[in-house]
Amino acid sequence: MAEIEREAMEYDVVIVGAGPAGLSAAIRLKQLDADLNVVVLEKGSEVGAHILSGAVLDPCGLDALIPDWKEKGAPLNVPVKDDKFYMLGEAGQVRIPNFPMPPLMHNHGNYIVSMGNVCRWMAEQAEELGVEIFPGMACSEMVYGENSEVKGVVAGVFGLEPDGSYGPNTEPGMELHGKYVFLSEGVRGSLSKEVIAKYDLSAGKEPQKYGVGMKEIWEIDPAKHKEGSVTHTMGWPLGSNAGGGSFIYHLENNQVYVGFVVHLNYKNPHLYPYMEFQRFKHHPMVADLLKGGKRVAYGARAITEGGYQSMPKLVAPGVALLGCSAGMVNVPRIKGNHNAMLSGKAAAEAAYDAIKAERSGDELTVYETEVRNGAIGSDLKKVRNVKPMWSKWGLTASLMLGGLDMWTNTFGFSLFGTLGHGKNDAESTEDASKHQPIDYPKPDGTLSFDRLTNVSFAATNHEESQPCHLRLADPEIPVKVNLPKYDEPAQRYCPAGVYEVVEDESGPRFVINFQNCVHCKTCDIKDPSQNITWTTPQGGDGPNYPNM
């Protein structure tokens, strides 16, 4: 707002988001020049609070950034020892042998990690180098210069009135200016979305595709725990209703990460991704593993799935998109953290060279070239057709043809070229009248849980007097359009129970329980009318995922 006066702080590079991409960029900048002024702004209450922990990490990014990470005590303590793939039916499973899979699908040399703890450790390394890291500082606005270049961000706005206006107790925040701004907000970040639209960075690219990933951390019977074991499944319970699958990772201390991903291009608006996850845990193989254990945490997060052909242009004047802000996940591997780290390193090197040449506010084209032609591009090109094959031809065909395509890409060519995605995920939703409702079993409270109970295990918290950070372009669309046409799918696609349709004497009413939000961004992606925009709430608000 032009009438608001704010203090401004000047930096060489301003980084939004203390995830693996942003922290890698900060570390690399200070490795290159200890005198650079670098700041990292993190909306979570602490570094790692908004990182949905539990991943298999390819250490290639860490190897490139901090070669002596083992000596420095990086929390990569559980190497993958056992790697299994299964196709599930309702009552049983068939193991898919490892030997036909292309080398890139093997997890030998990778580690099962808590990415929250990896990021906490990376933040320590950054601070030792002199990086300033400010947690609890949500970045709510971009700041543009006289020539429409990105100049900085606004961070630390607190105490807005419930209607979003500035009141007597509002803290207006600060402007943090940089010669370059790096956006490493993760999937569907609000500032990244604004920048992509402002500079038309998606022109000529395929639409970005997404999945919603839900995860629980369980402490299980020690007799069933197999530290270093990795299991992936496909098939039941999703069947032909949606693409997706599961992962089960055995960490240390008898802990297991149980996760489930549903591709958001599903057609049936009656589909309930969260309940598909809960139903999955009743499969005999999974139920036997979890029996006698207890769930200790829950969370959810959108995942970019578009791949190489969906990455937007990565740079505009004064700004660069890093990691999942641009969509660098290798979908069949379910891995993106290594590419996030490599992107941060590449962006830092490009910015260092530019600043050394006394440039600022221009496009870091060297970064764009490195991402597309270097290790990240090579990683993503090999798997670029797996997701569109799955979407167009189904699971079985994608397993066979996708596997073939990954093998041929290993040798430098593809029989299919580069396939397109077609519709975005919101456009994929069909009228409710074309589909049958799905009858989901009631959670039993032992293996499966209702959403609100599980959300309490995300430790999410929002100051209730602040404005709702989930904005409706038209408040009437949920009831007048989405309810009669799509049976208002927000009631189901949200994994945190944020949205309800409540019947009262005046008829149906759309209710937003924003206090439940775990910042997954699914609503911003899947709403068929594209009526919901996720914006950042006050700094520190949101989930507080456990330090484990």
Side-chain angles (χ1 to χ4, degrees):
M1 298 176 65
E3 68 273 15
I4 300 299
E5 293 186 5
R6 297 187 175 97
E7 295 183 17
M9 296 181 67
E10 303 294 329
Y11 289 89
D12 291 306
V13 180
V14 175
I15 301 172
V16 180
L23 291 170
S24 294
I27 289 169
R28 186 59 181 151
L29 283 162
K30 296 295 277 188
Q31 287 174 339
L32 291 166
D33 185 348
D35 293 328
L36 288 174
N37 292 317
V38 181
V39 65
V40 179
L41 304 166
E42 166 56 38
K43 67 183 175 68
S45 59
E46 63 169 341
V47 173
H50 289 181
I51 302 290
L52 184 54
S53 296
V56 173
L57 177 65
D58 181 339
C60 66
L62 210 50
D63 289 339
L65 183 70
I66 309 175
D68 58 345
W69 54 265
K70 288 185 180 180
E71 290 76 12
K72 290 180 178 292
L76 279 68
N77 305 319
V78 182
V80 175
K81 301 173 184 175
D82 186 32
D83 203 2
K84 296 186 178 74
F85 297 83
Y86 290 97
M87 181 69 73
L88 299 188
E90 186 169 0
Q93 65 277 344
V94 175
R95 183 171 178 182
I96 302 171
N98 292 53
F99 70 84
M101 297 184 184
L104 65 90
M105 293 297 292
H106 298 164
N107 277 309
H108 177 74
N110 297 330
Y111 293 81
I112 302 173
V113 300
S114 158
M115 279 310 298
N117 284 344
V118 170
C119 288
R120 291 180 181 99
W121 176 82
M122 292 179 70
E124 292 173 1
Q125 308 309 303
E127 288 179 324
E128 286 178 6
L129 292 170
V131 175
E132 295 182 42
I133 301 178
F134 298 139
M137 290 285 281
C139 298
S140 53
E141 298 177 41
M142 300 299 301
V143 178
Y144 298 99
E146 294 179 357
N147 299 312
S148 292
E149 80 279 11
V150 170
K151 181 180 178 182
V153 296
V154 174
V157 178
F158 289 92
L160 291 171
E161 297 295 300
D163 64 357
S165 63
Y166 281 66
N169 298 317
T170 300
E171 297 178 27
M174 299 184 65
E175 289 190 6
L176 293 100
H177 299 163
K179 294 170 183 170
Y180 297 98
V181 175
F182 292 168
L183 297 181
S184 51
E185 303 172 285
V187 178
R188 197 77 165 192
S190 54
L191 300 186
S192 303
K193 184 179 174 183
E194 176 183 327
V195 164
I196 290 169
K198 178 178 176 65
Y199 297 104
D200 198 18
L201 301 184
S202 290
K205 311 296 184 184
E206 285 294 309
Q208 188 58 266
K209 306 293 285 184
Y210 300 89
V212 55
M214 297 154 286
K215 188 180 300 177
E216 295 172 357
I217 303 176
W218 281 71
E219 292 179 358
I220 65 168
D221 182 345
K224 300 175 183 178
H225 187 253
K226 298 178 181 178
E227 185 175 300
S229 176
V230 167
T231 298
H232 292 99
T233 78
M234 294 171 286
W236 191 87
L238 291 172
S240 61
N241 285 324
S246 82
F247 54 89
I248 301 173
Y249 302 151
H250 290 242
L251 197 65
E252 52 199 336
N253 301 321
N254 300 315
Q255 289 189 342
V256 175
Y257 298 130
V258 182
F260 198 81
V261 177
V262 177
H263 301 171
L264 288 175
N265 62 348
Y266 61 83
K267 298 177 181 179
N268 183 353
H270 299 297
L271 189 88
Y272 196 160
Y274 175 83
M275 289 307 299
E276 296 286 351
F277 175 32
Q278 299 306 302
R279 182 160 61 165
F280 158 76
K281 290 182 292 176
H282 286 273
H283 187 275
M285 183 181 78
V286 186
D288 181 66
L289 175 69
L290 301 181
K291 185 178 179 181
K294 64 176 181 178
R295 160 219 47 186
V296 296
Y298 166 75
R301 184 62 46 86
I303 303 167
T304 53
E305 296 185 339
Y308 187 82
Q309 56 268 58
S310 295
M311 276 199 305
K313 183 181 176 183
L314 305 176
V315 295
V319 66
L321 303 175
L322 277 55
C324 282
S325 290
M328 298 184 186
V329 171
N330 183 313
V331 174
R333 296 183 75 198
I334 322 180
K335 291 179 180 66
N337 290 307
H338 63 298
N339 285 336
M341 292 178 183
L342 291 172
S343 75
K345 179 176 179 290
E349 290 168 353
Y352 164 75
D353 288 341
I355 293 169
K356 189 176 179 181
E358 299 185 347
R359 290 162 38 209
S360 65
D362 59 341
E363 293 191 1
L364 295 171
T365 54
V366 172
Y367 167 62
E368 177 99 25
T369 300
E370 170 59 26
V371 168
R372 296 194 183 274
N373 298 334
I376 297 171
S378 176
D379 185 53
L380 297 180
K381 283 178 185 176
K382 292 174 184 175
V383 301
R384 66 190 182 277
N385 290 324
V386 173
K387 169 66 175 178
M389 284 177 175
W390 196 334
S391 300
K392 294 173 186 290
W393 302 325
L395 174 58
T396 303
S398 74
L399 280 175
M400 298 173 62
L401 298 178
L404 172 64
D405 194 56
M406 285 189 285
W407 264 114
T408 61
N409 270 287
T410 301
F411 300 109
F413 70 95
S414 172
L415 299 173
F416 301 93
T418 298
L419 299 178
H421 294 299
K423 299 177 181 178
N424 66 35
D425 292 330
E427 294 167 338
S428 298
T429 313
E430 295 182 345
D431 289 8
S433 61
K434 295 182 179 180
H435 299 273
Q436 292 296 317
I438 302 172
D439 184 23
Y440 290 100
K442 184 178 180 180
D444 67 359
T446 303
L447 288 178
S448 50
F449 312 96
D450 66 83
R451 273 187 304 188
L452 295 186
T453 298
N454 238 358
V455 167
S456 69
F457 282 79
T460 195
N461 180 66
H462 296 82
E463 170 55 52
E464 296 191 14
S465 64
Q466 70 178 291
C468 176
H469 63 280
L470 302 160
R471 312 277 176 83
L472 300 181
D474 184 342
E476 296 188 350
I477 280 180
V479 169
K480 289 192 174 180
V481 177
N482 285 357
L483 186 59
K485 189 171 184 179
Y486 305 107
D487 193 29
E488 186 44 274
Q491 302 174 91
R492 293 172 294 281
Y493 60 59
C494 173
V498 169
Y499 302 101
E500 294 181 275
V501 175
V502 177
E503 292 280 351
D504 56 29
E505 62 277 1
S506 60
R509 180 168 52 90
F510 191 63
V511 176
I512 303 176
N513 304 300
F514 73 87
Q515 300 87 348
N516 295 352
C517 181
V518 295
H519 299 193
C520 73
K521 324 286 180 59
T522 301
C523 55
D524 195 299
I525 297 161
K526 186 59 178 173
D527 179 63
S529 299
Q530 288 293 271
N531 188 49
I532 302 173
T533 297
W534 186 94
T535 62
T536 185
Q538 289 183 168
D541 284 0
N544 287 276
Y545 293 128
N547 188 357
M548 57 173 60

